[in-house]
């Protein structure tokens, strides 16, 4: 059978058998899970069966523990006596108990599961528990029964926009205070900012419960529990509902690539065995992250993870997912130290076909639940077909993160003075992509904001940010930093993909880094917050960057920029000027650090009259108003057959020209 992927990318022809094997494995596993042409949406219902469910006269609790000899429930309701409530085995590794009395379990009741394996009693947290809390005195974690009133949704008809402007955020560190922010505070203080900036999507990190706050949410312990660090499940629902009312879609940063290795707090060895969820031996341990790795060929694992996706979509009305750690999932070496320089690296014994099959099933399920849902893959390897439909031979994601773009900017800023920047290399790295696959462009995400790295603005200005960001201060380092910060974001957004992402605070050049509370910093929250006042202070230059970001987002949204692809018009590497067109607009950037060009011949797509529609040099953006928005430029055909205008291009500026309608 021939798949569309080979027409889209002819270079895949030598690897036809690998793509065919990918598709055969997907079809085999799907038939194994749902015979008789069933649907995944009817399969992925673990959360509706397992866990705690209230009935008319009591509670039913079911647990999946295939290697357990006995299973017990304990908690506040029995004064933590371990063996009072014994579950009954009912087959296929499932245990069940009915607890009479509607008030026997109650909202806020703390519970744990006790598993007997090889004669030993093991203390565990229920797999499908929907809330987990840490005792402030003992620091021990336990499950919590949630019996909140049913949330009344106000915006059930919301549909996300397809042109994504994503504001990546973390609830806990979204506040000014030196502490953990809440869902309620995010609703009040941050959502209005995001709306005002023009972003139409938020991507929330660290929602799935994680015992170690400093893991940034990437070491998940309880997959069905929204983190109690920030508030209650209903408060998270209110946040999502409020965002929908503002026209903002909400994506969950979902972590199905690995899990925390903890046994008492997590799902590791829940029934006494590693192999309940994870590979045994070295294959089950991530060598860099110290976490456990799922066995994606285990049908019980697939049921658990697919049910998890359905739970977040149905219960909380998330609009889709950003899948974390996809590269780690799809290669046996997790992409560590591998340079993906040729196609053979993607189709080899190093490829984890079982993980790719799981991702295909996940994307198919998500579409069955919500055809408007959005899925984004965090894959630095650029696996071919990641963002092509499954029926084409692809994996089924909508977008992939353009992970090479932040690497480009950090490498340039670290290793090369900007007077030597190669315009051809920049253009290639910003626009390079798999054919027919959509990308989310970004110049920096949370990765570049963490201790051990630096944001673009901090790398550009360093200690000068502490002393020279006042508007009455004139400093060459700050001037350079502001100019390049704007230009880097401008080309990344306007040429880097079919969507755009920014990590919260980076739009105004948030100083310093993110450092979570830890022993090494005295468990301080000082660097684990966002200093919004810096952007709002009229005496500081941070406001220039925020105004530019807002202007850039709203300008490109109005022009529906992501509806077409960019095309190069002219690259002048000697003078550090490049120009390109997209959606009928002409973009030009002069990266030259010193030379401004009077009467520069700038290529435009066609004849006619042009005006500057957007400029990084506007005074409100911290510029010098050197580019006129009133002057009308007339394009003439040059000797080389191209249409050109003559224009003044100041150094370190970016602008966009719009062709006037024919009179």
């Amino acid at each position: 059978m021939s798949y569309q992927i080979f027409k889209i990318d002819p270079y895949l022809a030598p690897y036809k058998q690998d793509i065919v094997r990918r598709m055969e494995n997907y079809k085999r596993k799907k038939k194994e899970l749902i015979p008789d042409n069933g649907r995944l949406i009817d399969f992925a219902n673990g959360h509706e069966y397992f866990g705690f469910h209230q009935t008319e006269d009591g509670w039913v609790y079911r647990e999946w523990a295939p290697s357990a000899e006995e299973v017990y429930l304990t908690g506040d309701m029995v004064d933590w006596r371990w063996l009072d409530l014994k579950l009954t085995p009912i087959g296929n590794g499932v245990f069940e108990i009915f607890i009479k009395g509607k008030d026997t379990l109650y909202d806020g009741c703390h519970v744990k599961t006790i598993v007997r394996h090889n004669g030993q009693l093991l203390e565990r947290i229920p797999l499908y528990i929907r809330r987990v809390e840490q005792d402030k005195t003992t620091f021990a974690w336990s499950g919590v029964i949630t019996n909140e009133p049913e949330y009344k949704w106000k915006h059930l008809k919301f549909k996300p926009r397809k042109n994504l402007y994503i504001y990546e955020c973390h609830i806990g560190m979204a506040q000014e205070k030196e502490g953990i922010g809440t869902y309620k505070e995010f609703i009040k203080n941050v959502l209005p900012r995001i709306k005002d900036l023009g972003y139409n999507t938020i991507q929330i990190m660290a929602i799935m419960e994680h015992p170690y706050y400093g893991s940034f949410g990437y070491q998940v312990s309880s997959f069905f529990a929204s983190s109690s660090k920030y508030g209650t499940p209903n408060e998270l629902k209110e946040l999502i509902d409020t965002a929908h009312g503002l026209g903002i879609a909400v994506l969950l940063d979902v972590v199905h690539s690995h899990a925390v290795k903890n046994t008492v707090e997590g799902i590791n060895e829940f029934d006494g065995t590693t192999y309940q969820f994870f590979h045994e031996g070295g294959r089950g341990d991530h060598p860099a992250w110290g976490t456990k790795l799922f066995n994606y060929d285990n049908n019980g694992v697939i049921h658990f993870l697919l049910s998890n996706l359905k739970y977040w979509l149905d219960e909380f009305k998330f609009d889709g997912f950003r899948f974390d750690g996809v590269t780690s999932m799809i290669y046996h070496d997790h992409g560590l130290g591998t340079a993906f320089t040729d196609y053979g690296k993607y189709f080899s014994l190093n490829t984890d076909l079982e993980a790719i099959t799981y991702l295909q099933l996940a994307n198919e399920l998500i579409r069955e639940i919500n055809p408007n849902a959005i899925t984004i893959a965090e894959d630095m390897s650029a696996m071919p077909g990641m963002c092509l439909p499954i029926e084409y031979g692809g994996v089924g994601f909508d977008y992939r993160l353009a992970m090479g773009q932040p690497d480009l900017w950090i490498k340039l800023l670290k290793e090369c003075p900007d007077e030597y920047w190669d315009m051809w290399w920049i253009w290639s790295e910003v626009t390079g992509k798999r054919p027919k696959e959509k990308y989310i462009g970004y110049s920096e995400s949370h990765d570049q904001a963490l201790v051990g790295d630096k944001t673009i603005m901090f790398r550009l200005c360093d200690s000068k940010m502490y002393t020279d960001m006042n508007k009455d201060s004139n400093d060459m380092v700050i001037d350079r930093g502001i100019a390049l910060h704007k230009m880097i974001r401008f080309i990344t957004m306007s040429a880097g993909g079919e969507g755009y992402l920014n990590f919260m605070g980076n739009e105004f050049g948030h100083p310093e880094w993110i450092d979570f509370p830890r022993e090494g910093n005295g468990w301080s929250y000082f660097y684990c917050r966002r200093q919004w006042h810096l952007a709002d202070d009229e005496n500081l230059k941070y406001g220039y960057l925020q105004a530019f970001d807002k202007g850039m987002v709203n300008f490109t949204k109005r022009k529906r920029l992501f509806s077409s692809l960019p095309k190069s018009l002219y690259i002048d590497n000697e003078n550090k000027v490049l120009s390109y067109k997209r959606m009928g607009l002409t973009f030009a950037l002069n990266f030259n650090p010193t030379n401004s060009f009077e009467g520069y011949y700038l290529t435009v797509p066609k004849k006619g009259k042009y005006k500057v529609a957007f400029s990084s040099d506007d005074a409100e953006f911290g510029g010098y108003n050197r580019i006129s928005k009133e002057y009308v430029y007339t394009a003439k055909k040059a000797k080389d057959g191209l249409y050109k205008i003559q224009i003044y291009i100041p150094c370190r500026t970016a602008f966009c020209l719009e062709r006037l309608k024919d009179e």
Side-chain angles (χ1 to χ4, degrees), residues 612-626:
V612 172
F614 186 83
S615 167
S616 70
D617 200 48
D618 287 358
E620 65 176 308
F621 304 151
Y624 301 96
N625 280 335
R626 292 170 293 177

Side-chain angles (χ1 to χ4, degrees), residues 523-582:
W523 302 103
S524 170
Y525 287 88
F526 184 80
Y527 294 108
C528 195
R529 60 195 177 103
R530 296 285 88 179
Q531 300 181 59
W532 305 111
H533 74 276
L534 296 174
D536 298 337
D537 191 330
E538 294 183 357
N539 297 311
L540 298 178
K541 295 180 179 180
Y542 295 101
Y544 290 147
L545 298 178
Q546 179 168 270
F548 174 78
D549 195 81
K550 178 179 177 179
M552 177 178 65
V553 167
N554 286 286
F555 173 73
T556 55
K557 276 174 64 179
R558 288 195 307 272
K559 300 303 179 181
R560 300 179 66 245
L561 193 70
F562 298 148
S563 299
S564 70
L565 295 176
K567 294 184 179 180
S568 175
L569 288 172
Y570 185 71
I571 294 179
D572 179 355
N573 200 43
E574 181 179 353
N575 290 311
K576 307 306 175 192
V577 176
L578 58 82
S579 66
Y580 48 94
K581 64 178 181 177
R582 188 172 191 181

Side-chain angles (χ1 to χ4, degrees), residues 210-482:
H210 48 291
Y212 179 45
Y213 189 49
S215 74
F216 230 149
Y218 291 122
Q219 294 189 10
V220 174
S221 54
S222 295
F223 283 72
F224 290 83
S226 58
S227 181
S228 60
K229 298 176 178 69
Y230 322 125
T232 69
N234 269 4
E235 288 168 349
L236 174 57
K237 293 174 185 178
E238 182 186 1
L239 188 160
I240 295 168
D241 201 17
T242 304
H244 287 170
L246 295 172
I248 298 172
V250 186
L251 305 181
L252 174 65
D253 195 348
V254 71
V255 185
H256 282 184
S257 48
H258 59 138
V260 71
K261 65 182 178 182
N262 305 32
T263 54
V264 176
E265 296 91 355
I267 67 172
N268 186 24
E269 298 183 26
F270 178 83
D271 70 351
T273 68
T274 301
Y275 57 79
Q276 181 183 7
F277 284 101
F278 309 112
H279 291 291
E280 291 194 281
R283 190 178 176 189
D285 297 312
H286 197 291
W289 299 342
T291 49
K292 301 300 295 182
L293 300 174
F294 288 105
N295 178 359
Y296 299 107
D297 196 43
N298 183 321
N299 291 351
V301 172
I302 295 176
H303 183 246
F304 181 82
L305 294 177
L306 291 183
S307 298
N308 190 235
L309 296 174
K310 185 178 180 181
Y311 167 74
W312 292 112
L313 290 170
D314 280 354
E315 185 73 17
F316 289 89
K317 313 302 180 192
F318 277 99
D319 299 294
F321 304 97
R322 178 262 203 188
F323 278 72
D324 174 68
V326 168
T327 306
S328 175
M329 295 173 69
I330 62 177
Y331 303 103
H332 293 303
D333 69 356
H334 316 298
L336 299 173
T338 300
F340 294 92
T341 53
D342 62 80
Y343 277 36
K345 299 289 179 66
Y346 302 110
F347 307 104
S348 65
L349 294 176
N350 186 35
T351 305
D352 191 331
L353 201 60
E354 297 161 358
I356 292 175
T357 294
Y358 167 69
L359 293 172
Q360 290 175 304
L361 294 169
N363 276 293
E364 181 174 350
L365 169 69
I366 292 164
R367 304 289 174 255
E368 288 183 6
I369 298 169
N370 181 3
N372 296 303
I374 299 158
T375 60
I376 303 171
E378 189 214 21
D379 172 30
M380 54 76 63
S381 76
M383 165 66 79
M386 184 64 70
C387 300
L388 291 178
I390 297 169
E391 60 269 24
Y392 284 20
V395 183
F397 284 94
D398 292 307
Y399 301 87
R400 70 163 86 238
L401 290 173
M403 300 184 73
Q405 292 173 7
D407 291 344
L408 161 73
W409 298 121
I410 296 303
K411 185 176 180 63
L412 283 174
L413 293 173
K414 285 175 64 175
E415 301 177 5
C416 184
D418 46 305
E419 57 263 34
Y420 298 117
W421 286 6
D422 188 324
M423 298 297 105
W424 289 100
W425 185 43
I426 290 175
W427 177 254
S428 174
E429 289 295 316
V430 169
T431 61
K433 57 181 295 185
R434 295 279 179 220
K436 302 295 183 182
E437 299 196 37
K438 293 190 291 186
Y439 283 60
I440 300 294
Y442 66 108
S443 53
E444 53 187 347
S445 68
H446 70 268
D447 288 330
Q448 288 73 40
L450 293 168
V451 163
D453 207 336
K454 291 183 180 180
T455 63
I456 286 174
M457 191 60 181
F458 202 30
R459 194 172 291 281
L460 283 164
C461 301
D462 273 322
S463 61
K464 291 284 187 177
M465 296 186 75
Y466 300 115
T467 58
D468 293 276
M469 284 297 281
N470 291 313
K471 287 184 178 178
D472 58 3
S473 174
N474 293 310
D475 184 87
M476 293 178 61
V477 172
I478 296 296
D479 288 348
R480 172 182 180 265
I482 288 176

